[in-house]
Amino acid sequence: MSALYTEDSIRVQTQTGECRIDLCFGDITKLQKNDEVDVLLVSAFPGDYAATPTSLIGALQRNLGLSVRQLARDKAEDLRRLYSCWWSKPLQKDYPFRRVLCFESNFSKYLTSCPSELVGDVFRCLVPILNNKDGRVITPLLATGDQGKSKPVMLKGMVDAAVNWMKAGLPLRVLKIVLFTRTVTDPNIRPNFGSEFKHTLELFSALKQKYDSVEVEEEEETTLEYDVYLSFSEKDSGVIDKIQDMLKSEKKDVKIFHEKQDLDRDAVWQENMYKVMIKCAKIVTVLSPSYLESAACTEQYNIALCVNRKTDRHLLAPFYIEKVDFLPTYMGLVQYVDCSPTDVTKLTAACKQVVVALSLEVTMVTQKKTKKKPLEDSSLKYDIFISYCHKNTTLATKILNQLTKLNPNLKIFFDTEELKTGNAWQETLYQAIDGSRCMLACISKDYLMSAVCQEEYNLALAKHVAKDSDLQLIPICLEDISDMPAEYTAVKMVDGIGGNFDRVLTQTCSDVVQWLSNSSANKQHAIFQKNQEDIYQDIDVDEISEAHRTAVYTNKNNTADRLDETITFLADKTQDNDQVDIAFSYCKTNSKYAKFMMNLLKRRAPNLKLNDTVSEDHQQIILLDTAKVIVPLVSLQYIESVSQSEELQIALSRHRKTKGSKVIYPIMLSQLPVKPTYLHLIPYEVCTEDKMWSDVVAKTDKLPTHLVEMAKENKALDWFHNTSIISKETALALFSATDALLQIVYNKEEESSSKKIVLNNVVTLKNEILRLQNETFVARAEKFLLDCKLEPSPSRGTVSKLSKPDKIEEKDECTYADDTGSGVEKQLTTEQETRAGVESQQTNMDGDKSGVEKQPTTEQDTDSQDKMHTKNSPKKNKKRSSACDIL
């Protein structure tokens, strides 16, 4: 079989590792699967994807059945207006490349541009495609086929561009440039191609002498010469003058680089821009329609991203000043400050943030390889975290000012001052709360309406009620709220309503400052005391989360037969669009679980659209933006990965913002470290390590048909083979997950109109467990009575007579969830035990300790409660009738 022959290679040593440029001979369409790459580059005339006999597009169609024309009809991203390029969605078939990037310059640019400028557009597009992840790219000599450009000229342009972008931080690890020939039959034997490529080979050899290196070049230490680099369109010069004035008013000696830097049309790499940006502490990009129309501006944005990666700093600070109709996805992924429509107040606040960030910047640019992201940012340590809704900014600012007045040295988290533009704000909030000793939560109606505020409160609450609590939560009520949610009543709340606020402000801030100076002192104050009889204390988040999952599963699955149900209506279900139904986010270590679930989902729903390469695909973020459901497979290895952590944050954010059914279905594969705490509050639908799966396996006589068939065919399950690839308990857990996913995808799950909170509230979980246990008990007791063939009363609809069963087994059973929240089922083998169990459970249901009022669900339930509380019931001495009366 034909393959590629590598003629020569150029090794490029960069600060982030070695990169390589290979010059190859052969046919790209014969690339072997074990040599697969991330991106295939092709070139075409504008809008012309004809499969001609002499083009790579034609060869792809003939040899692989891959139609570029078809891919063009459903692009993942179209940047032809900016960079003359577009790229495809992930290829679904077993191709040796995962995505196609097509370069097609418009006619005027094609006729007037030099080859180096054309090549530069391709590498600019690789910035968002590779998305800060190591990648491999294969390409022919662009524009040298039907388009007729010179091979040596294009080769020089491509190599020059690749080397410069690699050294600037583009994670392009391997670039294979392929010269087409049919004479390659063995990758180890040099083909005989005569003198056809003589000049091309000589040129590559000369380029190798210029660029090839064994050791990383020692770069001179770069001193930061400017505070801010302003990247803007000249059409927005009026706004730029205001921004400069605002920056100078915040920092009189601020050094701003605001000179116009045009594109060097003869250069494939804009060295002039890079050399200035690398010496700047912050790069402010002023986004507007005119900015995106400027090739120089968009080039500056891309180079800023490369500098970001190379220096491992968040130096990019986008200001969004005017609505744009077309904002490239990769630009939207960077947090910007929304100052539209040219709002002076917002611009002032944005400039203030930039100046605050400047004081925290290092004075020297670090030229080191990116290190593994720490699970906990030690720099995010605070004395006090002020949690508030922005509609209550005035009152929250008063609290900030009072605390600062009492102790100027306090480290206080106040979002407008601490959240840095360009950073991942969501994760920063979570980690800041994790590193705080005290949270002051400003509770108002607007606060209760904000999903982000509620998540801040939920995280602080979990830490506050933990056995080894390291955070003091102090809620301050700012206004009268008649229907205060139960989860906000578990912690003593300071009354700051109306005229009380100023008095409470002074006293509370004083107490907090004293407590921080000596946490053992001032403990007698009411706001620091915990009720020893309070059921909402010493709560273990992991334990209560597992108890909740167990209660949910027990409530939905009352018998083992449920495991073998198949959602039969899915087989003929088809989709009307190309939206991916389920996108998996996982690290390579956990790929076996992802593949197992994909296989199972395909068996149950053959028409389901999955992204089976998401863990390796460099454009998976696009899929996370569009997929119907996102399934993060969370484990220790997952959260240690920078890219997977970013994917999780995107999934959580999208779930919060999207209306309707669930967007995220997280699954926990292993126990997680104690911190970050927020990871434990994510509403995992399934955890493969929950004890209940062992209990289910022990009580289940038969396994779901799909699992048995997969085990036989794929040898995936270890109860058939001693490989321990996937345990029986894990398989059943993931089977349960696929069941729920299918219900979500095909809209069988009831959509929620309430706000989507992505972090659980421990009080809500505890109350929910009690409710679910009550429902489970009632459902099972009713089933028991039906099994006993009870006859309903014609007058009231309640049970009045017990007919004799055909046969009473010695082990007549009724199962129910015990009141400890463990979800362990108990068996009652006698009628007396049944009666005792019902009465005992009902006592828990009616007791006031849980704080949850039992609501009768039907008229029959109401009647049953009346009978249960009647001491002298005439049927009390009849065991079966007593059970009937209770229900």
Side-chain angles (χ1 to χ4, degrees):
M1 180 179 291
S2 298
L4 297 181
Y5 172 79
T6 302
E7 172 70 17
D8 204 353
S9 298
I10 298 175
R11 293 172 298 174
V12 182
Q13 304 298 331
T14 73
Q15 299 297 323
T16 58
E18 182 178 283
C19 301
R20 194 178 77 242
I21 303 173
D22 295 336
L23 182 65
C24 305
F25 288 97
D27 186 345
I28 289 178
T29 63
K30 304 297 183 181
L31 186 68
Q32 302 299 297
K33 181 62 178 174
N34 57 358
D35 293 325
E36 69 177 347
V37 297
D38 299 291
V39 182
L40 165 64
L41 302 183
V42 300
S43 58
F45 287 113
D48 184 0
Y49 313 111
T52 61
T54 56
S55 67
L56 176 57
I57 291 178
L60 292 171
Q61 178 74 62
R62 293 189 303 273
N63 300 336
L64 298 178
L66 180 61
S67 171
V68 175
R69 185 187 302 277
Q70 188 66 33
L71 295 177
R73 292 172 181 167
D74 187 26
K75 306 175 183 70
E77 183 110 36
D78 189 349
L79 295 184
R80 287 178 292 179
R81 192 165 66 184
L82 296 178
Y83 305 132
S84 306
C85 295
W86 59 265
W87 58 85
S88 71
K89 291 183 176 180
L91 303 182
Q92 299 297 319
K93 296 183 179 180
D94 194 24
Y95 295 118
F97 22 81
R98 301 188 184 106
R99 193 182 293 273
V100 171
L101 170 62
C102 183
F103 166 74
E104 48 175 282
S105 178
N106 59 62
F107 280 114
S108 59
K109 185 173 183 179
Y110 178 80
L111 294 174
T112 60
S113 299
C114 60
S116 57
E117 185 179 357
L118 298 176
V119 170
D121 281 340
V122 173
F123 285 90
R124 292 177 188 105
C125 272
L126 286 177
V127 174
I129 291 181
L130 296 184
N131 192 36
N132 280 343
K133 298 178 183 178
D134 293 347
R136 295 163 57 88
V137 176
I138 193 169
T139 176
L141 271 179
L142 296 174
T144 59
D146 292 346
Q147 293 162 295
K149 293 291 183 180
S150 165
K151 287 184 176 66
V153 171
M154 293 305 296
L155 176 64
K156 183 180 186 302
M158 293 179 70
V159 172
D160 287 343
V163 170
N164 281 285
W165 282 93
M166 286 172 175
K167 288 187 175 182
L170 181 69
L172 177 56
R173 292 302 168 204
V174 178
L175 174 65
K176 290 182 175 291
I177 302 175
V178 181
L179 304 176
F180 175 72
T181 176
R182 295 188 177 89
T183 60
V184 177
T185 57
D186 189 323
N188 298 314
I189 301 177
R190 190 176 192 271
N192 182 16
F193 38 69
S195 59
E196 179 183 358
F197 300 106
K198 179 180 178 181
H199 295 301
T200 305
L201 294 178
E202 290 176 350
L203 174 60
F204 191 84
S205 179
L207 292 170
K208 180 175 181 177
Q209 291 182 5
K210 178 180 179 181
Y211 292 124
D212 192 77
S213 58
V214 177
E215 298 179 354
V216 180
E217 296 179 5
E218 290 285 338
E219 293 193 17
E220 296 182 1
E221 291 184 345
T222 306
T223 304
L224 295 179
E225 297 181 3
Y226 299 97
D227 294 311
V228 178
Y229 181 109
L230 272 181
S231 173
F232 61 94
S233 167
E234 287 187 307
K235 294 181 180 180
D236 300 318
S237 57
V239 179
I240 302 307
D241 291 339
K242 292 180 181 178
I243 291 176
Q244 291 190 71
D245 291 340
M246 293 172 183
L247 289 171
K248 291 176 181 178
S249 67
E250 295 293 337
K251 189 175 187 293
K252 294 182 179 180
D253 59 344
V254 65
K255 297 179 180 179
I256 304 174
F257 183 91
H258 55 87
E259 298 176 13
K260 180 181 178 182
Q261 285 194 296
D262 291 324
L263 284 175
D264 182 354
R265 291 171 57 84
D266 293 325
V268 294
W269 168 253
Q270 303 301 314
E271 186 71 16
N272 57 332
M273 296 179 183
Y274 176 80
K275 284 185 175 180
V276 176
M277 287 186 182
I278 201 74
K279 298 177 182 179
C280 296
K282 284 290 179 182
I283 301 174
V284 174
T285 56
V286 185
L287 302 180
S288 67
S290 57
Y291 184 94
L292 295 177
E293 291 171 359
S294 166
C297 290
T298 52
E299 181 74 341
Q300 289 166 14
Y301 194 101
N302 280 303
I303 294 177
L305 289 177
C306 287
V307 175
N308 244 359
R309 184 177 193 274
K310 184 170 184 177
T311 61
D312 193 24
R313 291 186 292 131
H314 296 288
L315 54 79
L316 188 56
F319 287 8
Y320 187 86
I321 64 166
E322 188 178 346
K323 182 180 178 181
V324 295
D325 296 328
F326 175 73
L327 183 67
T329 303
Y330 73 96
M331 289 187 181
L333 292 174
V334 179
Q335 182 180 337
Y336 55 78
V337 180
D338 189 353
C339 303
S340 64
T342 316
D343 189 305
V344 175
T345 302
K346 293 179 180 179
L347 280 173
T348 302
C351 291
K352 184 176 182 180
Q353 283 191 31
V354 169
V355 172
V356 170
L358 289 176
S359 63
L360 302 176
E361 290 292 335
V362 294
T363 58
M364 302 294 291
V365 176
T366 303
Q367 303 288 345
K368 295 183 179 179
K369 184 175 181 180
T370 303
K371 298 181 180 179
K372 184 171 71 173
K373 178 183 179 180
L375 294 178
E376 182 182 4
D377 190 341
S378 59
S379 66
L380 297 176
K381 298 292 185 181
Y382 297 92
D383 295 308
I384 302 171
F385 185 107
I386 300 178
S387 176
Y388 68 100
C389 173
H390 283 181
K391 291 185 179 180
N392 305 127
T393 299
T394 301
L395 295 179
T397 303
K398 285 186 176 182
I399 296 176
L400 172 66
N401 293 338
Q402 181 66 18
L403 290 168
T404 305
K405 178 181 178 181
L406 292 171
N407 186 350
N409 296 321
L410 284 177
K411 190 173 182 183
I412 303 173
F413 186 96
F414 198 75
D415 63 349
T416 57
E417 297 186 2
E418 296 297 316
L419 287 181
K420 304 175 182 64
T421 304
N423 283 13
W425 63 267
Q426 181 174 262
E427 192 170 16
T428 300
L429 283 179
Y430 295 158
Q431 292 194 351
I433 295 173
D434 237 354
S436 297
R437 297 175 61 192
C438 175
M439 173 188 278
L440 295 177
C442 303
I443 309 300
S444 66
K445 294 177 182 178
D446 291 321
Y447 188 96
L448 300 181
M449 293 297 293
S450 167
V452 175
C453 289
Q454 290 193 59
E455 289 162 19
E456 292 175 4
Y457 187 92
N458 290 352
L459 179 52
L461 177 65
K463 295 174 67 64
H464 176 84
V465 300
K467 185 175 182 180
D468 299 320
S469 174
D470 60 355
L471 181 144
Q472 181 73 40
L473 172 61
I474 303 176
I476 303 174
C477 188
L478 302 182
E479 58 184 340
D480 185 25
I481 303 175
S482 58
D483 53 346
M484 182 73 72
E487 56 267 30
Y488 287 87
T489 61
V491 179
K492 291 183 177 65
M493 190 173 294
V494 177
D495 183 1
I497 300 174
N500 290 337
F501 181 78
D502 290 336
R503 176 182 58 81
V504 165
L505 169 67
T506 303
Q507 184 63 50
T508 302
C509 289
S510 176
D511 291 338
V512 169
V513 171
Q514 290 182 38
W515 176 77
L516 288 171
S517 63
N518 183 4
S519 58
S520 62
N522 204 33
K523 275 288 188 178
Q524 298 304 314
H525 194 283
I527 62 174
F528 300 105
Q529 294 179 5
K530 295 184 181 180
N531 187 350
Q532 297 301 316
E533 298 179 357
D534 193 347
I535 63 171
Y536 302 121
Q537 66 174 340
D538 296 344
I539 292 179
D540 185 296
V541 174
D542 291 334
E543 288 181 3
I544 199 169
S545 297
E546 179 176 355
H548 182 261
R549 287 190 295 269
T550 301
V552 171
Y553 181 84
T554 304
N555 185 264
K556 290 184 178 180
N557 304 273
N558 289 325
T559 66
D561 294 338
R562 180 69 180 83
L563 288 173
D564 205 31
E565 288 185 7
T566 304
I567 304 178
T568 55
F569 69 87
L570 299 178
D572 298 326
K573 183 79 174 178
T574 57
Q575 297 290 314
D576 297 329
N577 54 52
D578 293 323
Q579 181 185 25
V580 171
D581 292 310
I582 302 175
F584 285 86
S585 172
Y586 58 95
C587 60
K588 291 183 179 180
T589 308
N590 302 133
S591 60
K592 62 182 179 182
Y593 303 108
K595 292 177 181 177
F596 175 84
M597 290 189 69
M598 291 176 197
N599 290 337
L600 190 53
L601 285 166
K602 279 296 186 181
R603 280 181 168 275
R604 305 185 72 185
N607 294 319
L608 202 64
K609 295 179 181 178
L610 309 173
N611 63 315
D612 55 359
T613 59
V614 68
S615 64
E616 299 177 355
D617 193 320
H618 298 307
Q619 276 300 301
Q620 55 190 318
I621 289 178
I622 292 178
L623 292 175
L624 297 181
D625 276 339
T626 59
K628 206 167 190 178
V629 186
I630 304 169
V631 182
L633 301 181
V634 182
S635 64
L636 178 60
Q637 296 82 2
Y638 182 94
I639 63 176
E640 286 179 340
S641 165
V642 175
S643 57
Q644 264 70 62
S645 293
E646 290 173 352
E647 291 170 19
L648 179 61
Q649 297 302 321
I650 291 171
L652 293 173
S653 179
R654 186 174 164 224
H655 178 78
R656 183 193 300 119
K657 296 176 181 178
T658 306
K659 296 180 180 180
S661 60
K662 293 178 182 175
V663 172
I664 186 174
Y665 190 93
I667 296 175
M668 186 192 296
L669 297 178
S670 64
Q671 294 301 318
L672 303 176
V674 176
K675 289 187 178 182
T677 306
Y678 83 90
L679 291 171
H680 298 264
L681 292 174
I682 291 174
Y684 300 104
E685 305 287 348
V686 168
C687 174
T688 58
E689 294 197 355
D690 283 351
K691 182 181 179 296
M692 71 171 173
W693 299 116
S694 299
D695 296 338
V696 173
V697 168
K699 296 177 182 179
T700 303
D701 295 330
K702 62 177 182 177
L703 299 170
T705 304
H706 296 292
L707 293 184
V708 175
E709 291 176 353
M710 284 181 60
K712 291 178 179 178
E713 294 178 10
N714 301 331
K715 299 182 179 181
L717 310 178
D718 68 351
W719 65 87
F720 276 92
H721 307 276
N722 296 321
T723 57
S724 298
I725 298 177
I726 298 227
S727 68
K728 183 185 295 187
E729 291 79 9
T730 298
L732 288 177
L734 297 183
F735 179 88
S736 173
T738 61
D739 200 2
L741 284 169
L742 292 174
Q743 297 286 350
I744 296 171
V745 169
Y746 291 100
N747 299 319
K748 294 300 178 181
E749 182 192 62
E750 183 178 351
E751 294 188 359
S752 173
S753 58
S754 59
K755 297 181 296 297
K756 290 183 177 179
I757 312 299
V758 298
L759 297 184
N760 281 328
N761 181 289
V762 292
V763 172
T764 302
L765 283 182
K766 192 157 188 173
N767 293 339
E768 181 74 2
I769 290 170
L770 294 173
R771 183 189 67 79
L772 290 168
Q773 288 176 343
N774 291 341
E775 289 184 0
T776 300
F777 166 75
V778 171
R780 289 180 170 176
E782 288 177 343
K783 182 179 184 301
F784 168 76
L785 296 177
L786 289 174
D787 289 343
C788 293
K789 297 187 177 178
L790 295 176
E791 295 180 358
S793 169
S795 59
R796 297 188 61 189
T798 56
V799 177
S800 62
K801 181 179 179 182
L802 178 64
S803 61
K804 182 178 181 181
D806 296 333
K807 181 180 180 181
I808 299 180
E809 300 286 349
E810 291 184 1
K811 293 184 178 180
D812 196 10
E813 298 180 354
C814 177
T815 58
Y816 67 96
D818 68 4
D819 60 358
T820 64
S822 66
V824 179
E825 297 183 348
K826 297 183 178 180
Q827 297 182 342
L828 302 182
T829 57
T830 67
E831 297 167 348
Q832 183 63 39
E833 286 174 311
T834 301
R835 176 182 173 189
V838 171
E839 292 175 340
S840 173
Q841 179 71 20
Q842 189 64 43
T843 300
N844 286 338
M845 291 164 60
D846 291 341
D848 60 355
K849 185 177 182 181
S850 69
V852 181
E853 182 180 356
K854 169 70 171 66
Q855 299 293 336
T857 56
T858 64
E859 180 184 354
Q860 181 174 336
D861 291 336
T862 305
D863 294 337
S864 302
Q865 292 184 50
D866 293 339
K867 293 183 179 182
M868 179 184 63
H869 293 295
T870 304
K871 294 183 178 180
N872 299 320
S873 173
K875 297 183 180 181
K876 185 175 181 181
N877 295 328
K878 296 181 181 181
K879 296 178 180 178
R880 290 189 182 274
S881 297
S882 177
C884 297
D885 289 344
I886 290 175
L887 290 169

